[in-house]
DNA sequence: TGAAACAATGATAATGGTTATCATTATCGC
DNA sequence: GCGATAATGATAACCATTATCATTGTTTCA
């Protein structure tokens, strides 16, 4: 039950715990490892809560992303995808298959040297986004 | 005159050399080092060619990106930015200042280990996109 | 308890970058 | 120059996201 920690975080920041927000978190929780779009989340939430509005989904996802609970990532498809953040800093990277569109993950970070070099140039690093495009094993 | 090489490339692939395409290439050439949006390119071209259509700009940029002449990059601003490709593979990375929006470059690649690891997992790497977000020296 | 005060929601319009459509025009091999 | 065909420009359409606003739910505190 990951969302308990998230609900506490929301409560501490005086966000209201609404049925809509709980449902959105539950969908994300039930699809851990996936990279869901707002539309996909909206459709899943709708099954249990037919009257939910898509604006609420967008608002909630945005709030959760700003709180650092979710990662909002673009794979240049013209939309954003969302997933839980495992920890605050140095999240994993993504492999996107240009043939089938599948998105997988690499756990290794391995950007230390690069970031050290950047910091040496006087740039204060906050976050990074690395997407590797290629062809997955199944598509070769 | 970098665009001479590009014009030859276009000609060899039986693209027609039109005044619009020449003007678009010229704008990109005159702004090397910048990361221009389609809108910015459109406005610059318009100064010399007031009747140019924005659809032509988009079509040309898309064609040039597909030919590997331009890089089409997203910095998650809700639009794409374009710049000349210096070589086919292993282009530079970008630093985006979250305060002033300035985009600078790092020439070092330093993703060899990471890509080797990925290839070992059976993923055939074609391209990658690394954007580092942070605060630039001037904004600290 | 009972009102403000405030936060969240849902419906829907608006936004804005990009793409599709289509009639017109320009290019280039002959 | 001619003609096949590619390219262009105007404009409508697309579509993910955001803004607006009236309504509903929740908290505060007299
Ligand atoms: Mn992921
Ligand atoms: Mn660049
Ligand atoms: Zn694949
Ligand atoms: Zn800055």
């Amino acid at each position: 039950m990951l969302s308990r920690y998230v609900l506490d975080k929301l409560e501490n920041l005086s966000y209201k715990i609404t049925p809509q927000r709980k449902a959105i978190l539950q969908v994300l929780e039930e699809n851990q490892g996936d990279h869901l779009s707002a539309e996909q989340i909206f459709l899943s939430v709708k099954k249990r809560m037919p009257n939910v509005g898509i604006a609420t989904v967008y608002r909630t996802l945005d709030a959760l992303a700003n709180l650092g609970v979710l990662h909002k990532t673009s794979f240049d498809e013209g939309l954003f995808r969302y997933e839980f953040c495992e920890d605050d800093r140095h999240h994993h990277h993504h492999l996107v298959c240009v043939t089938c569109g599948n998105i997988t993950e690499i756990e290794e970070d391995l950007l230390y040297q690069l970031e050290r070099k950047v910091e040496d140039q006087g740039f204060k690093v906050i976050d990074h986004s690395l997407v590797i495009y290629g062809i997955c094993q199944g598509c070769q």
Side-chain angles (χ1 to χ4, degrees), chain A:
Chain A
M1 198 123 298
L2 193 144
S3 54
R4 184 65 256 159
Y5 142 81
V6 177
L7 294 177
D8 287 347
K9 189 162 190 173
L10 287 176
E11 225 155 28
N12 289 340
L13 292 161
S14 61
Y15 282 82
K16 309 248 158 81
I17 308 299
T18 64
Q20 290 87 346
R21 287 174 177 173
K22 278 206 257 191
I24 290 165
L25 280 169
Q26 204 168 344
V27 166
L28 286 161
E29 195 177 339
E30 286 169 2
N31 293 280
Q32 286 215 41
D34 285 359
H35 303 84
L36 301 176
S37 67
E39 181 74 15
Q40 290 174 319
I41 294 164
F42 172 60
L43 292 175
S44 288
V45 172
K46 224 176 174 186
K47 285 181 189 157
R48 305 176 197 175
M49 194 175 278
N51 292 327
V52 72
I54 194 157
T56 298
V57 173
Y58 275 106
R59 279 186 291 237
T60 301
L61 293 175
D62 234 51
L64 293 173
N66 287 333
L67 292 180
V69 171
L70 296 184
H71 256 165
K72 178 178 177 180
T73 313
S74 164
F75 298 105
D76 284 3
E77 308 159 289
L79 50 78
F80 286 98
R81 296 188 174 276
Y82 301 83
E83 65 176 324
F84 275 115
C85 268
E86 60 282 3
D87 55 30
D88 285 344
R89 196 90 166 54
H90 273 140
H91 48 280
H92 57 266
H93 313 307
H94 293 104
L95 308 180
V96 178
C97 176
V98 298
T99 303
C100 68
N102 230 49
I103 300 168
T104 51
E105 304 184 339
I106 345 168
E107 289 308 326
E108 283 84 12
D109 194 327
L110 295 179
L111 293 184
Y112 311 114
Q113 306 170 53
L114 195 53
E115 296 204 337
R116 209 178 317 123
K117 215 151 199 155
V118 169
E119 299 253 0
D120 285 351
Q121 286 174 222
F123 188 89
K124 175 107 190 52
V125 173
I126 293 176
D127 196 7
H128 60 235
S129 158
L130 173 57
V131 182
I132 297 181
Y133 298 93
I135 300 170
C136 76
Q137 200 150 31
C139 286
Q140 288 173 32

